Amino acid sequence: MNSKTDDNCEVEKGIPVKLEYSEKGSKKTITDSVELFLTVNAMARRHGVGRIDIVENRFIGLKSRGCYETPGLTCLRAAHIDLEGLVMDREVRALRDQFVTVNYAKVLYNGMWFSPEREYLSACLWASQGCVNGQIRCQVYKGSFSILGRSSETEKLYDASESSMDEIGDFAPEDTTGFIGVSAIRLKKYGQMKAEKGEKM
């Protein structure tokens, strides 16, 4: 396919709720969840996005080769993860990724949907998604999926002026002095230990 396909996906509490895109010169909007998924699936499939060839470890310990095609989910997942980077607290996201994501995948892969651990992990997962609200602009083209931009009207963790290197916002650089000093305590001790052993840093 020689023409790029752009779309805008709106997410509420981690769930895609609206898709806006152009087709043959006319703008279209989809809000039905099944139709949204099938449309993204068709867009991505036309561009060859979403095919993987992997060797995986089965529940019983055998390795097996698997070829999977998930065009729509590949795009929606990448868009979702990108939006999380804008709206989700750093520590909540880290805890989710270190504990919930890996174990949830393992539970599902092993067919343990009707289990207490799946119920617990699902509750943790949903708890992490309350702030995942916003829009993601995306593009599929010749085997690649790209994020063109992201925004949120409700979640305000990101502030361009606070993190800018070009303007002074609420952040005061001198506040880092104590932070750097405290962080250095452990590293100085580590350096002393290495020096006493005659080891280089």
Side-chain angles (χ1 to χ4, degrees):
M1 182 142 200
N2 290 322
S3 59
K4 298 174 182 177
T5 305
D6 294 1
D7 65 77
N8 187 71
C9 185
E10 188 171 323
V11 173
E12 289 179 8
K13 295 185 178 179
I15 301 293
V17 294
K18 184 162 73 169
L19 181 73
E20 297 174 320
Y21 67 102
S22 294
E23 187 175 73
K24 297 177 182 174
S26 64
K27 292 194 173 189
K28 298 197 172 189
T29 301
I30 296 172
T31 55
D32 177 75
S33 57
V34 174
E35 189 182 352
L36 187 153
F37 178 78
L38 292 175
T39 301
V40 176
N41 209 46
M43 287 177 182
R45 186 180 65 242
R46 282 195 298 267
H47 287 276
V49 171
R51 185 179 189 277
I52 60 169
D53 183 335
I54 61 171
V55 174
E56 54 193 301
N57 295 298
R58 288 188 179 166
F59 185 32
I60 58 172
L62 295 174
K63 288 190 179 290
S64 67
R65 180 181 178 215
C67 296
Y68 300 98
E69 289 191 37
T70 56
L73 189 57
T74 297
C75 297
L76 291 170
R77 182 175 182 272
H80 184 271
I81 289 170
D82 185 83
L83 180 61
E84 284 185 340
L86 176 70
V87 300
M88 189 180 273
D89 177 79
R90 177 185 73 176
E91 298 304 322
V92 171
R93 191 178 190 194
L95 283 169
R96 192 275 315 271
D97 288 346
Q98 291 165 17
F99 173 71
V100 179
T101 304
V102 174
N103 287 294
Y104 197 69
K106 183 179 174 183
V107 164
L108 296 185
Y109 186 83
N110 292 339
M112 301 296 177
W113 179 261
F114 299 103
S115 66
E117 61 270 30
R118 197 278 308 161
E119 289 181 4
Y120 172 73
L121 290 166
S122 288
C124 293
L125 190 61
W126 285 118
S128 75
Q129 296 301 296
C131 65
V132 184
N133 304 299
Q135 301 80 36
I136 315 101
R137 289 186 302 111
C138 313
Q139 183 179 87
V140 285
Y141 184 56
K142 290 190 175 182
S144 69
F145 172 78
S146 304
I147 303 292
L148 304 177
R150 80 285 302 148
S151 63
S152 178
E153 295 170 11
T154 59
E155 311 306 317
K156 305 295 182 186
L157 289 181
Y158 173 73
D159 184 330
S161 63
E162 283 183 344
S163 57
S164 172
M165 301 292 187
D166 300 320
E167 60 182 280
I168 298 174
D170 292 339
F171 174 72
E174 59 271 12
D175 290 344
T176 62
T177 306
F179 170 76
I180 293 169
V182 170
S183 296
I185 294 170
R186 178 179 67 91
L187 300 177
K188 285 179 182 176
K189 282 291 189 190
Y190 181 67
Q192 285 175 341
M193 181 192 74
K194 297 275 277 182
E196 287 170 9
K197 291 181 178 179
E199 297 175 2
K200 293 182 179 179
M201 288 292 284

